């Protein structure tokens, strides 16, 4: 039952985007998010949309996977849109008026605009996690944050990255364990599916307690095993996989920057 | 004689939550010879896992000394070199795998040692080939079987190129197939690569493949010798809650029943031969 978590999943494939440097991918994703918030009219939003669709096609991951993440957030999308319709006021006459509710054409326009923006944000960030393995991601974050060592945070950056990669490594292990504990409690007659919210929350306690105690035991074991393998907190550590920035990576960054520039320029033009 | 590990009169004790002293190891002396294959037998709580942790400075003796390659484990400055010399594989494979990709996990040790990336690549490939897991190098460990995961844990230690590998009940959580895979791998490392192996176990058939078997009970060694010598002491083994291998037990019982049969048997083949001799049958 816990096996259908798609957020943050990685789908191995051999695409240009998969092979791109993870550092560049993170930077480009951040750049695109900024661009999306800069986009002030439909022309620029469409430009961002075109860029997003091109990226999605380049990842060679079936569109079905992207639609799956949409399924998880359509409620948020729907409510943001509805709230925007009701709360916007326009200059002209309302399109629809009933007691205190009035809908203006500007409201509908804004709702569509914001819905598209959220949609694109989600697709762009999914494209990043779908094409980059967790270890590549943490590695890239560690390297991107390296300049922090100049303010004395070098060790903290390594520890943070190590914690993140261990957390990611243990997600499947703990999911499996949760499933086992749940079956064991059900076999003892625990009821987890009926009753109100409070009752169901209470039913989780007999699952959380053994899960927590076994996690602590695992952590102790892991610490011992890491010590055995000469881990001493990242001092003098080398890496099996070296990251290399190629021409392709710079090109991707260049196109993303170009998009941001285009959006800024087009924003100043009158709305079509 | 060239010893890689020397334990001299080692005592290990601690106080429990009620301040009662608990003695885990009670003055043990042991030499592990370079290139040898030693099995340590004992039931739960006999002190065998604590002894393993003394071997690479994870724990320190309360009194007595542990010397690894001439280095005293009590000396902090040797800690790194001692752990480079003696690697430990633990019981639960899930709790010793650090990374989410097989080859990245195997690389963890050499990365900590600060080895050049090219050399790490070479060591990782060699280690994975040595445990027969090379074709799984880019897989996620959680999708593999217990035996495969444990072999990756072994590869993770091998990639650090230690001189001695200590395995603390590596098969306790595995199914029979996984157990066989791991034991075959360990045997090969000792016979083909000449690596010193210390295998801690409570399975008799695993101890039978070693050159030397040491039996522990209550923090002391009670038997020490070749498998044939040790398994001859059926009564002593039973007294400390251990079994003898089935073939050994069978010939022992036959002898007690008055049948003229060889008793220094530790495996099925030897047992078959002895039985045929006793029955005056010729081998086909």
């Amino acid at each position: 039952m816990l096996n259908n978590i798609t957020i943050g999943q990685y789908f191995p494939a051999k695409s240009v985007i998969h092979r791109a440097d993870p550092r560049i991918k993170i930077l480009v994703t951040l750049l695109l998010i900024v661009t999306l918030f800069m986009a002030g009219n439909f022309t620029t939003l469409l430009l961002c949309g075109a860029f997003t669709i091109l990226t999605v096609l380049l990842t060679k991951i079936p569109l079905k996977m992207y639609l799956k993440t949409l399924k998880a957030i359509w409620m948020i999308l729907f409510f943001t849109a509805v709230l925007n319709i009701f709360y916007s006021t326009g200059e002209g006459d309302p399109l629809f008026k009933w007691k205190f509710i009035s809908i203006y054409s500007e409201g509908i326009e804004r709702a569509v605009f914001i819905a598209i923006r959220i949609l694109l944000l989600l697709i762009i960030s999914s494209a990043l996690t779908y094409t980059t393995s967790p270890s590549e991601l943490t590695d890239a974050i560690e390297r991107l944050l390296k300049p922090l060592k100049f303010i004395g945070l070098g060790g903290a950056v390594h520890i943070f990255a190590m914690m993140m990669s261990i957390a990611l490594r243990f997600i499947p292990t703990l999911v499996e364990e949760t499933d086992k504990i749940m079956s064991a409690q059900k076999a003892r007659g625990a009821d987890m599916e009926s009753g109100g919210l409070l009752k169901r929350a209470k039913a989780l306690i007999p699952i959380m307690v053994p899960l927590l105690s076994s996690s602590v035991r695992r952590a102790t074991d892991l610490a011992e095993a890491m010590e055995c393998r000469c881990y001493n907190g990242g001092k003098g550590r080398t890496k099996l996989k070296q990251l290399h920035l190629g021409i392709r990576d710079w090109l991707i960054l260049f196109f993303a920057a170009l998009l941001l520039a285009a959006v800024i320029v087009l924003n100043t033009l009158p709305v079509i | 004689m060239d010893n890689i590990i020397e334990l001299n009169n080692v005592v290990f004790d601690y106080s429990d939550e009620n301040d009662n002293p608990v003695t885990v190891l009670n003055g043990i002396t042991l030499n592990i010879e370079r290139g040898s294959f030693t099995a340590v037998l004992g039931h739960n709580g006999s002190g065998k896992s604590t002894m393993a942790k003394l071997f690479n400075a994870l724990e320190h003796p309360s009194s007595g000394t542990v010397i690894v390659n001439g280095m005293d484990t009590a000396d902090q400055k040797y800690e790194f070199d001692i752990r480079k010399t003696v690697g430990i594989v633990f019981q639960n494979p899930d709790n010793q795998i650090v990374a989410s990709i097989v080859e990245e996990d195997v690389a963890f040790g050499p990365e900590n040692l600060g080895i050049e990336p090219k050399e790490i690549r070479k060591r990782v490939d060699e280690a994975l080939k040595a445990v027969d897991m090379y074709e799984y190098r880019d897989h996620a460990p959680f999708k593999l079987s217990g035996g495969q995961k444990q072999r990756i844990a072994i590869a993770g230690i091998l990639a650090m190129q230690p001189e001695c590998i200590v395995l603390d009940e590596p098969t306790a959580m595995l199914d029979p197939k996984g157990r066989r895979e791991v034991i075959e791998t360990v045997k090969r490392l000792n016979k083909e690569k000449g690596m010193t192996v210390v295998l801690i176990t409570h399975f008799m058939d695993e101890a039978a493949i070693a050159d030397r078997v040491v039996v522990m009970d209550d923090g002391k060694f009670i038997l020490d010798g070749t498998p044939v010598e040790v398994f001859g002491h059926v009564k002593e083994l039973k007294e400390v809650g251990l079994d003898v291998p089935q073939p050994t037990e069978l010939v022992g019982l036959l002898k007690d029943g008055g049948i003229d049969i060889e008793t220094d048997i530790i495996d099925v083949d030897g047992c078959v031969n002895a039985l045929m001799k006793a029955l005056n049958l010729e081998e086909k």
Side-chain angles (χ1 to χ4, degrees), chain A residues 99-167:
Chain A
K99 290 190 180 167
F100 59 91
I101 296 171
S102 45
I103 294 172
Y104 296 87
S105 62
E106 282 95 337
I108 294 175
E109 219 170 77
R110 256 190 83 182
V112 172
F113 191 83
I114 286 176
I116 294 177
R117 182 186 273 169
I118 296 177
L119 209 73
L120 292 179
L121 276 177
L122 187 79
I123 294 174
I124 281 292
S125 30
S126 300
L128 173 68
T129 56
Y130 284 178
T131 59
T132 320
S133 78
S135 54
E136 274 182 311
L137 267 182
T138 45
D139 200 18
I141 291 171
E142 186 177 351
R143 278 160 212 251
L144 282 172
L145 294 178
K146 232 177 192 168
L148 285 180
K149 74 168 178 239
F150 293 118
I151 53 166
L153 287 174
V157 168
H158 168 78
I159 290 167
F160 173 71
M162 182 52 84
M163 275 175 7
M164 228 164 84
S165 67
I166 288 175

Side-chain angles (χ1 to χ4, degrees), chain A residues 169 218 229 237-238 240, chain B residues 94-95 97 105 111-112 115:
Chain A
R169 139 82 184 85
R218 280 180 195 283
R229 290 160 82 179
R237 223 174 113 78
T238 46
L240 167 67
Chain B
D94 272 323
N95 295 359
I97 291 174
D105 183 72
E111 284 176 346
N112 289 335
I115 288 159

Side-chain angles (χ1 to χ4, degrees), chain A residues 17-121:
Chain A
I17 310 286
H18 278 84
R19 267 173 294 167
D21 190 291
R23 287 171 293 180
I24 292 293
K25 280 193 269 189
I26 291 176
L27 285 179
V28 165
T29 307
L30 290 176
L31 211 59
L32 283 177
I33 289 171
V34 171
T35 312
L36 271 170
F37 279 102
M38 298 280 286
N41 54 40
F42 275 101
T43 323
T44 48
L45 193 67
L46 275 177
L47 200 63
C48 291
F51 195 89
T52 308
I53 290 167
L54 184 72
T55 313
V56 165
L57 291 178
L58 281 175
T59 60
K60 288 190 184 163
I61 288 166
L63 285 174
K64 210 173 68 193
M65 296 324 304
Y66 290 97
L67 292 176
K68 242 183 168 172
T69 44
L70 294 189
K71 233 164 75 184
I73 66 130
W74 75 267
M75 284 282 276
I76 302 172
L77 215 64
F78 178 75
F79 278 110
T80 331
V82 168
L83 285 178
N84 269 295
I85 290 175
F86 290 140
Y87 277 99
S88 299
T89 46
E91 283 157 13
D93 291 326
L95 294 173
F96 175 80
K97 205 165 161 44
W98 180 73
K99 290 190 180 167
F100 59 91
I101 296 171
S102 45
I103 294 172
Y104 296 87
S105 62
E106 282 95 337
I108 294 175
E109 219 170 77
R110 256 190 83 182
V112 172
F113 191 83
I114 286 176
I116 294 177
R117 182 186 273 169
I118 296 177
L119 209 73
L120 292 179
L121 276 177

Side-chain angles (χ1 to χ4, degrees), chain B residues 130-176:
Chain B
V131 298
D132 225 352
M133 287 295 291
Y134 184 65
E135 68 244 63
Y136 293 94
R137 63 191 177 279
D138 48 7
H139 284 230
F142 79 93
K143 285 185 181 155
L144 303 176
S145 75
Q148 289 172 323
K149 278 190 264 198
Q150 197 59 291
R151 281 188 283 157
I152 286 162
I154 295 174
I157 296 295
L158 288 183
M160 294 170 67
Q161 301 189 339
E163 289 170 54
C164 174
I165 184 164
V166 178
L167 302 107
D168 185 3
E169 301 205 34
T171 60
M173 305 188 73
L174 307 181
D175 57 9

Side-chain angles (χ1 to χ4, degrees), chain B residues 164-228:
Chain B
C164 174
I165 184 164
V166 178
L167 302 107
D168 185 3
E169 301 205 34
T171 60
M173 305 188 73
L174 307 181
D175 57 9
K177 185 169 169 279
R179 274 181 62 192
R180 217 165 26 243
E181 287 168 7
V182 169
I183 292 304
E184 279 307 313
T185 307
V186 172
K187 204 166 143 185
R188 217 172 46 229
L189 287 175
N190 176 253
K191 298 283 175 281
E192 288 170 19
K193 312 225 172 212
M195 186 168 283
T196 315
V197 173
V198 178
L199 175 66
I200 294 169
T201 181
H202 59 252
F203 291 115
M204 300 302 127
D205 46 340
E206 288 176 7
I209 60 166
D211 308 324
R212 174 188 180 193
V213 179
V214 179
V215 182
M216 274 185 101
D217 185 52
D218 216 11
K220 284 203 145 161
F221 295 133
I222 56 164
L223 293 168
D224 183 352
T226 63
V228 173

